[in-house]
Amino acid sequence: MVYFFCKFFMKITLRNIFIFLDLFILQYNYSQSTGITDSNVLKWKSYFNQFYGADYNLINGIRYVNLYPSAEGHPFLGENSFYKGNLIINDLIYRDVEIKYDICNQEIILQYPYFTGNPDKIILIKEFIDEFEMDGRLFRKYTFPETEPRFYQVVSRGNIYCLYYWKKDLQKGSSVQSFYKYSPERKVSYLVIDNKLCSFSGRKSFIKLFPSQYHKKIIQYLKSNKMWIRNDTEIKIRQLMDFCNEIIAGN
């Protein structure tokens, strides 16, 4: 409850600041048209630009607060550190930004230079994010009939393509010192076939997603490349998907 209240309060505060700035800018434009200058307006605008940065499309969100600082582990994909990556927000691309992917809450954390010179962190508004790339992985927001809009890692492309959905859970801790802990990261693997999300976990469930006339060729490919699906690398999965799309297209 406290978490949602904090997010709501910080969102309202940021919105009010934007409204406050807009009023000052309107006043400034009016003053310019009438030949009147107001140094206070310029000071406020300069202060706001220093505080939030010049690009409000990027620096737009809720200040990040770690609500479980004593929990075992962390909620992020990969390491608990910021990665240099790319973002597409409202169709605008931002390169070499510092981001983390919170897969427990499915949120993107941005670190940016604060006006004091120290870094600050915000939770970006995920509804505005189209895709992002970090640590060599591409994540894109998809909406399927089976799910609400959410981010998936794009593993392959083609008529039939593979996506991963990454997640963690916040659980009760195992010691008196830690009341909470984060589960290990885990992925759910999907093929997208005719815009339908189809999950798989290993050889058997993967093969079943294809029409029976292709099963023999797929099994031969898996055996010859010593693939078990579950723990195979993204490169091998991508090559497998290229093969599957080729045999279907060549039918």
Side-chain angles (χ1 to χ4, degrees):
M1 186 59 139
V2 173
Y3 173 72
F4 290 109
F5 175 79
C6 289
K7 291 182 71 173
F8 176 79
F9 176 78
M10 287 185 285
K11 186 180 292 185
I12 293 298
T13 302
L14 185 58
R15 186 182 304 156
N16 289 342
I17 291 172
F18 276 112
I19 293 171
F20 188 58
L21 177 66
D22 288 340
L23 290 174
F24 267 104
I25 291 173
L26 285 173
Q27 179 186 345
Y28 174 69
N29 290 336
Y30 173 77
S31 299
Q32 290 283 39
S33 65
T34 57
I36 301 171
T37 60
D38 190 342
S39 60
N40 289 330
V41 173
L42 295 177
K43 287 180 181 178
W44 271 101
K45 187 173 184 296
S46 175
Y47 176 77
F48 190 89
N49 285 341
Q50 289 179 331
F51 195 86
Y52 286 103
D55 197 329
Y56 313 130
N57 186 60
L58 174 63
I59 313 301
N60 187 4
I62 304 164
R63 177 165 289 178
Y64 173 73
V65 177
N66 185 359
L67 297 179
Y68 302 96
S70 61
E72 297 177 30
H74 60 81
F76 304 107
L77 179 64
E79 301 295 329
N80 184 14
S81 59
F82 283 91
Y83 293 87
K84 284 283 187 182
N86 303 324
L87 279 167
I88 296 181
I89 302 177
N90 292 325
D91 297 325
L92 294 177
I93 186 167
Y94 299 90
R95 301 187 185 278
D96 297 325
V97 293
E98 296 187 350
I99 53 177
K100 287 181 178 181
Y101 182 17
D102 179 343
I103 57 174
C104 184
N105 299 294
Q106 296 300 315
E107 294 173 333
I108 314 303
I109 316 301
L110 172 72
Q111 180 171 264
Y112 66 98
Y114 201 52
F115 80 102
T116 60
N118 297 319
D120 200 8
K121 306 173 186 67
I122 59 172
I123 302 171
L124 295 175
I125 302 173
K126 57 187 173 184
E127 287 78 10
F128 296 165
I129 302 173
D130 303 308
E131 66 179 53
F132 63 96
E133 186 176 356
M134 55 170 270
D135 195 28
R137 302 177 183 181
L138 174 64
F139 297 85
R140 186 170 291 151
K141 186 165 58 183
Y142 288 92
T143 302
F144 296 102
E146 301 87 353
T147 65
E148 60 185 8
R150 61 187 189 181
F151 295 111
Y152 298 86
Q153 181 188 349
V154 180
V155 182
S156 71
R157 305 176 189 273
N159 291 330
I160 299 174
Y161 54 97
C162 178
L163 302 176
Y164 290 160
Y165 178 70
W166 293 93
K167 59 184 179 178
K168 283 187 178 183
D169 297 316
L170 183 64
Q171 304 170 341
K172 288 186 177 181
S174 55
S175 66
V176 177
Q177 290 80 12
S178 299
F179 291 105
Y180 297 99
K181 67 177 181 179
Y182 290 100
S183 68
E185 64 185 34
R186 60 192 188 279
K187 72 175 187 283
V188 183
S189 305
Y190 296 99
L191 293 187
V192 180
I193 305 174
D194 295 328
N195 201 39
K196 183 179 179 181
L197 208 55
C198 307
S199 64
F200 67 92
S201 57
R203 272 188 179 186
K204 188 175 181 181
S205 56
F206 179 87
I207 294 167
K208 280 186 175 181
L209 296 178
F210 294 89
S212 58
Q213 63 265 34
Y214 304 115
H215 287 186
K216 186 175 180 181
K217 288 185 177 180
I218 295 173
I219 291 171
Q220 289 175 344
Y221 182 94
L222 294 174
K223 287 182 177 179
S224 63
N225 289 276
K226 299 179 180 179
M227 292 184 65
W228 294 94
I229 302 291
R230 188 183 300 273
N231 296 315
D232 282 312
T233 65
E234 293 167 17
I235 292 176
K236 295 188 75 171
I237 295 295
R238 192 175 301 119
Q239 293 170 343
L240 170 62
M241 293 309 305
D242 289 342
F243 172 80
C244 292
N245 278 297
E246 285 175 7
I247 62 173
I248 292 173
N251 184 31

